[in-house]
Amino acid sequence: MKTTALVGFGDADSFYASAETVRRPFLVGLPVGVLGNQGACVIARNYPMKKYGVKVGEPIWEAKQKCPQGVYIKRDFRWYETLSRKMLAEVGRYSHRVEYYSIDEFFWEGSANRGQSYEQTAVDVRDHVKRATGLPMTVAFARTRTLAKLAADMAKPFGAVALTCPDQETDLLRRTPVTEIAGIAKRSAAKLEPHGIKTCLDLRQASGLLVRRLLTVVGHDIWRELNGVRAVPIRPSRSPHKMLARGGSLAGRVRDAHTLYGWLVRNIERLIEELQFHEVRASTLTVAVSYFDAESAAGVAHLSVPSDRFDILLDAAKRGLRTAWRQGKTATHMHLIASGLRRGPWQQSLFEPPDPKLDAVARVKRAVNERYGRWKLRSGATLYANDWYDDPANEHEVCDIRGKFCF
Amino acid sequence: MCTGIALASSELPVELTRLHRLTERVYDREGREEVQFHWWQVPTVLPVRRNGRLQILPWGTKYRRGPLPYGGWVSLDHVRDGLFTHATPDEVVIPANLGQHKGTWFLITEGIKGVAIETRGGPVVYMLTEPASNYYRNMTEQSPVMPVFVDQVI
Ligand SMILES: [Mg+2]
């Protein structure tokens, strides 16, 4: 298994209770329960209190019966946020791409410290965060977010682990029930059980189509992640992309409008893939064409509503190409640039007609490509560029190396 | 209300512990020693920080017929309205790490405000109270009053 780039994941152990202990050393070692807004329910408790069977969400009058020696504290989110940002900053010393996933969970583009293994790096991150913030954190490295989170959950508290070989993954997945996966609730687990899927390993080994049928796209993404495919990217909290672009050389000189149109469609498909990877939608689309025997030209199309949908983007791209098109001239390069990127949650617009049918087609297309390889199912319009697609060397190109700008 | 407090043993000077036989009040909470002061204990006392000195003082009175207000608590409003016009109330701090009411132990960051009253038998301390916040009520099985905390809002 290649271990060059693993996903890092850090999750503070019983964060609220630990945060209180950081500023009140008196609490070290004592069972601590943090009470919610109204002072009636335990919203978080540390490991010593957990030992007494106190559960999150439990009313205080029940909790204090189970744990009469427990200390109950009013929550203070301002303080928790201060510590949360401190953790984010400390994790940021290890990676430039850190996702602020929740108040006490962070994903990052991982790399092993120079001269250290991933296991040693995990220990280093954990110990550093403890030194710098006083907070205990469990740190895990694995091929995908889902794997890293599962590894961390099983290593708590104050764990430091790395899944660097297939056996470690298999071992972890075998002893972890599917319900341990965030996003697979009891109801989903009940759907899986008749198919003999109980552990995460069962799920990983199941057919992707079956998983999709049972648990929709979300479940399918989890299935891919269990199989080591990164379905959900790291989304750094700062500086999201200002624009995303796809395109490049037209693999020769193109004078024919149909062929150019074929390239346009191909670039839209790749651009959509990229938009969806980053979970953004474009509000502006620019089509730029370079000519062998004329000045480069560009056409800009504004979308009434940010979108990542094929039909809407194609419509906009056609308008852009109309402006950039020089009849009788020889085109050599084409770039499609999406800008005005917006991240969800999406406001359902009056102008973007909800079209479940088109959305469904897009999902199926994505699924087939995921299962049978990139571009196996693509828009019929790209047939004009068929010989290009037939070259396997073109499957992965330089701008597909994510995180860098296309040009 | 608050019927008991706990203070880490390490916060009490050894001679004070010996003088007032506080070792009988030492409790073990998950391996950690603390001294507890409860209203039901006899003698009924509280630690008090007064003029920069830590002392152990009698906590209110359980005699109904004396000149002092019955109980261990007085409301801030009553004190302001002149409850102790005949005596000179002295504002003090009751240092505590934890407070307790109806079996709920809650964290105290600095302490509880109190008043010390001079009597012929020496000073006596009362806890100051105010109407309980909704939060405090829920936490303590609907206690209608809560102690006046030092720089702490519950
Ligand atoms: Mg956590």
Side-chain angles (χ1 to χ4, degrees), chain A residues 258 261-263 265-266 269 310 314 365 376-386 389:
Chain A
H258 286 295
Y261 182 65
W263 281 102
V265 174
R266 165 187 179 269
E269 289 190 326
F310 181 77
L314 179 62
K365 192 164 137 189
K376 286 297 178 289
L377 194 61
R378 56 180 204 260
S379 167
T382 60
L383 285 172
Y384 291 107
N386 238 351
Y389 278 97

XYZ file of all heavy atoms in Angstrom, chain A residues 258 261-263 265-266 269 310 314 365 376-386 389:
190
model
N -17.848 21.193 -34.943
C -18.357 20.022 -34.217
C -17.312 19.451 -33.288
O -17.605 19.063 -32.159
C -18.801 18.939 -35.219
C -20.086 19.286 -35.895
N -21.272 19.396 -35.204
C -20.361 19.543 -37.193
C -22.241 19.714 -36.059
N -21.710 19.823 -37.270
N -16.890 21.660 -30.368
C -18.024 21.436 -29.473
C -17.799 20.176 -28.629
O -18.072 20.132 -27.426
C -19.316 21.332 -30.281
C -20.551 21.143 -29.422
C -20.973 22.127 -28.545
C -21.284 19.954 -29.506
C -22.085 21.953 -27.754
C -22.400 19.768 -28.722
C -22.802 20.770 -27.842
O -23.906 20.581 -27.060
N -17.270 19.161 -29.250
C -16.950 17.918 -28.532
C -15.974 18.188 -27.383
O -16.145 17.690 -26.271
N -14.972 18.996 -27.671
C -14.008 19.356 -26.615
C -14.660 20.166 -25.505
O -14.330 20.006 -24.330
C -12.849 20.167 -27.215
C -11.855 19.286 -27.912
C -11.732 19.086 -29.254
C -10.856 18.482 -27.279
N -10.718 18.200 -29.522
C -10.157 17.817 -28.317
C -10.485 18.251 -25.965
C -9.115 16.932 -28.069
C -9.445 17.374 -25.719
C -8.776 16.725 -26.751
N -17.713 19.985 -24.466
C -18.485 19.088 -23.614
C -17.555 18.281 -22.704
O -17.806 18.113 -21.510
C -19.365 18.159 -24.472
C -20.064 17.135 -23.592
C -20.389 18.977 -25.247
N -16.472 17.831 -23.283
C -15.512 17.060 -22.495
C -14.989 17.895 -21.322
O -14.905 17.433 -20.182
C -14.340 16.645 -23.384
C -13.144 16.177 -22.588
C -11.943 15.932 -23.468
N -10.831 15.499 -22.637
C -9.945 16.338 -22.107
N -10.039 17.635 -22.336
N -8.969 15.869 -21.358
N -17.503 18.240 -18.581
C -17.598 17.039 -17.747
C -16.477 16.998 -16.709
O -16.698 16.645 -15.552
C -17.566 15.780 -18.622
C -18.864 15.629 -19.402
C -18.985 14.286 -20.103
O -17.951 13.755 -20.553
O -20.103 13.787 -20.197
N -24.941 19.576 -15.346
C -24.451 19.482 -16.726
C -25.264 20.335 -17.692
O -24.711 21.145 -18.442
C -24.452 18.008 -17.159
C -23.950 17.809 -18.554
C -22.595 17.862 -18.833
C -24.832 17.585 -19.602
C -22.125 17.695 -20.134
C -24.378 17.414 -20.895
C -23.019 17.467 -21.165
N -23.667 23.463 -19.584
C -23.499 23.329 -21.041
C -24.142 24.519 -21.752
O -23.576 25.093 -22.680
C -24.110 22.013 -21.531
C -24.013 21.786 -23.053
C -22.542 21.733 -23.504
C -24.734 20.518 -23.485
N -24.413 8.621 -14.028
C -23.220 8.804 -14.833
C -21.975 8.761 -13.950
O -20.995 8.081 -14.263
C -23.340 10.167 -15.525
C -22.357 10.422 -16.609
C -22.860 11.604 -17.424
C -21.756 12.545 -17.747
N -22.249 13.785 -18.341
N -16.049 6.391 -19.066
C -16.663 5.286 -19.793
C -18.068 5.711 -20.228
O -18.550 5.338 -21.283
C -16.742 4.036 -18.921
C -15.394 3.354 -18.714
C -14.817 2.837 -20.023
C -13.454 2.203 -19.826
N -12.401 3.184 -19.519
N -18.712 6.464 -19.382
C -20.026 6.986 -19.735
C -19.885 8.489 -19.820
O -19.557 9.157 -18.866
C -21.051 6.623 -18.645
C -22.520 6.807 -19.028
C -22.883 5.931 -20.205
C -23.412 6.474 -17.842
N -20.073 9.021 -21.003
C -19.936 10.468 -21.129
C -20.937 10.975 -22.134
O -21.591 10.207 -22.831
C -18.507 10.829 -21.527
C -18.043 10.153 -22.813
C -16.621 10.553 -23.143
N -16.382 10.398 -24.560
C -15.750 9.367 -25.081
N -15.294 8.397 -24.308
N -15.580 9.282 -26.386
N -21.018 12.254 -22.189
C -22.001 12.855 -23.072
C -21.740 12.441 -24.516
O -20.593 12.373 -24.964
C -21.918 14.372 -22.946
O -22.646 14.945 -23.998
N -22.818 12.163 -25.257
C -22.699 11.761 -26.652
C -21.976 12.803 -27.494
O -21.316 12.467 -28.480
N -22.049 14.049 -27.063
C -21.428 15.122 -27.828
C -19.917 14.973 -27.899
O -19.279 15.505 -28.799
C -21.784 16.469 -27.206
N -19.321 14.248 -26.937
C -17.867 14.141 -26.941
C -17.362 13.116 -27.957
O -16.165 12.933 -28.110
C -17.324 13.747 -25.548
O -17.886 12.496 -25.187
C -17.662 14.781 -24.500
N -18.299 12.451 -28.655
C -17.889 11.475 -29.664
C -16.958 12.107 -30.697
O -16.106 11.457 -31.283
C -19.122 10.911 -30.370
C -19.916 9.905 -29.540
C -21.222 9.555 -30.239
C -19.096 8.648 -29.290
N -17.141 13.394 -30.880
C -16.308 14.085 -31.860
C -14.847 14.087 -31.458
O -13.974 14.333 -32.247
C -16.808 15.517 -32.058
C -18.139 15.557 -32.751
C -19.287 15.873 -32.040
C -18.245 15.248 -34.098
C -20.525 15.877 -32.664
C -19.475 15.262 -34.729
C -20.621 15.563 -34.023
O -21.831 15.573 -34.634
N -14.608 13.863 -30.186
C -13.216 13.840 -29.724
C -12.796 12.427 -29.345
O -11.947 12.218 -28.508
C -13.062 14.779 -28.539
N -13.411 11.438 -30.017
C -13.232 10.050 -29.612
C -11.794 9.556 -29.605
O -11.386 8.853 -28.696
C -14.057 9.136 -30.517
C -15.026 8.318 -29.680
O -14.952 8.322 -28.462
N -15.925 7.630 -30.352
N -10.002 10.308 -26.479
C -10.404 9.504 -25.333
C -9.796 8.112 -25.378
O -9.618 7.461 -24.360
C -11.933 9.370 -25.259
C -12.572 10.554 -24.612
C -13.102 11.589 -25.372
C -12.632 10.650 -23.225
C -13.688 12.671 -24.771
C -13.215 11.737 -22.616
C -13.743 12.745 -23.391
O -14.325 13.817 -22.786
